[in-house]
Amino acid sequence: MRKDFPQICRAFHEYGVQQTLLTNGLLLGKRYAEIENFIDEYIISLDGPTAAVHDSIRGVQCFEQILNGIRKVVPRSRENRVLARYVIQRRNYRHVEQMIDLAKSTGFQQVSFLAVDVESDAFGKNRNGSTAGDDSVLLTASEVGEFRSIMNSLISSRRADFESRFIAQSPGQLLHIVEYFEARAGITSFPVNHCNAPSMSAVITSTGDVKPCFFLPAFGNIRDTPLEKLLNLDSIRQTRRNVRSNKVDRCKTCVCTLRVDPLKAMLNRF
């Protein structure tokens, strides 16, 4: 975490901007006091329900450190949302039920799931093409069959958690993740993604680049061109239309789509 991160949060807070912190949780316990007055929502990424699973994926022993940080945040964040996020991959797909149980016992208000992303350079990964070592994170054809059974069982046994929205996704959205892994295993084609993220938001990077979403190329820079002008360029208008029509190749394999009602977006109720 940047040393000046609290000052950045304070600046946005003074403008009345609602702030969400998406974090791996490593420094949360240590630096929470510096930011607690500015952050409205915390999304904490975990990779497994136990130290053995989680730390084998992260590559460092940090599970207990993250949980200790979460235990500091949850009791002091009654007015703010604290959410758990799991990225499903080969080394943790058998532990989905336990992941939900951990989120409940730790005090999270909601849990969500994503499929592992193997081809994007988003979030600073700076990789070209597919990620090396896809075999270590993608499911095999036989594992995908097992995963579908796991998810079908979860949908049946966790109805109350879907109805209460403790599980953020609907049953259909979780099966969409299964279909993604089936496509990656060559069993079927990729499921159709319905996304309007570029119409509802824009990403501004630390260098000023403006992007339709985290996964698509930048179309300008706020240090060169006013944001309002950038957002209304003919090129980005066409990109928005193409995304809505599922004509962008990158969008067809995306694991992090967003579909938001325009009115809710205007009211900042994503």
Side-chain angles (χ1 to χ4, degrees):
M1 186 185 292
R2 302 172 52 126
K3 292 182 179 179
D4 61 350
F5 186 65
Q7 287 72 38
I8 295 172
C9 293
R10 179 187 295 276
F12 279 105
H13 179 73
E14 290 175 352
Y15 278 101
V17 176
Q18 292 193 23
Q19 300 180 70
T20 296
L21 177 64
L22 176 57
T23 173
N24 63 16
L26 274 173
L27 296 178
L28 192 59
K30 182 178 180 180
R31 301 197 62 183
Y32 173 69
E34 301 175 56
I35 60 174
E36 64 174 314
N37 293 326
F38 311 129
I39 303 297
D40 302 285
E41 180 181 66
Y42 299 85
I43 302 177
I44 303 171
S45 174
L46 294 167
D47 287 321
T50 65
V53 176
H54 179 277
D55 293 349
S56 71
I57 294 172
R58 291 282 170 99
V60 293
Q61 294 182 354
C62 59
F63 182 73
E64 293 300 332
Q65 177 182 341
I66 294 171
L67 285 189
N68 288 335
I70 293 169
R71 293 184 184 111
K72 289 183 179 180
V73 172
V74 169
R76 296 164 63 179
S77 299
R78 291 185 176 87
E79 296 181 1
N80 302 326
R81 284 163 54 83
V82 184
L83 317 178
R85 174 168 293 172
Y86 293 101
V87 174
I88 298 175
Q89 55 135 293
R90 190 176 189 185
R91 283 182 279 183
N92 66 12
Y93 76 93
R94 292 187 176 98
H95 304 284
V96 176
E97 288 257 20
Q98 296 95 317
M99 293 176 186
I100 296 171
D101 290 336
L102 175 66
K104 279 191 171 184
S105 65
T106 311
F108 285 105
Q109 295 166 315
Q110 193 176 58
V111 59
S112 64
F113 297 92
L114 292 176
V116 65
D117 179 18
V118 296
E119 63 182 56
S120 173
D121 62 355
F123 307 107
K125 289 196 292 186
N126 293 323
R127 294 188 176 116
N128 296 318
S130 295
T131 302
D134 288 355
D135 289 346
S136 68
V137 294
L138 291 176
L139 278 61
T140 65
S142 61
E143 289 169 338
V144 168
E146 180 188 5
F147 182 45
R148 179 172 282 280
S149 296
I150 290 170
M151 295 304 267
N152 283 335
S153 176
L154 182 146
I155 289 169
S156 177
S157 64
R158 296 280 183 166
R159 291 178 182 175
D161 290 328
F162 286 110
E163 292 173 0
S164 68
R165 293 297 310 279
F166 182 76
I167 299 176
Q169 286 100 330
S170 67
Q173 289 170 325
L174 289 187
L175 290 177
H176 191 93
I177 296 176
V178 177
E179 293 165 359
Y180 166 83
F181 282 109
E182 289 174 339
R184 286 288 179 194
I187 297 172
T188 185
S189 57
F190 283 95
V192 176
N193 284 326
H194 300 284
C195 181
N196 62 355
S199 300
M200 298 296 106
S201 61
V203 174
I204 304 175
T205 72
S206 60
T207 60
D209 283 343
V210 182
K211 307 172 71 174
C213 71
F214 283 106
F215 305 96
L216 296 179
F219 57 91
N221 191 291
I222 57 172
R223 295 175 179 175
D224 303 322
T225 309
L227 180 61
E228 183 177 358
K229 183 175 181 179
L230 286 173
L231 295 178
N232 289 285
L233 292 174
D234 289 340
S235 59
I236 187 57
R237 288 173 178 263
Q238 184 60 49
T239 296
R240 294 185 187 118
R241 288 191 288 268
N242 290 340
V243 169
R244 288 197 298 268
S245 303
N246 201 37
K247 294 180 179 179
V248 180
D249 287 341
R250 179 63 188 89
C251 297
K252 296 176 182 179
T253 60
C254 184
V255 302
C256 192
T257 58
L258 175 71
R259 188 161 185 84
V260 178
D261 179 90
L263 179 59
K264 289 183 178 180
M266 291 177 63
L267 295 173
N268 199 19
R269 296 176 181 172
F270 277 62

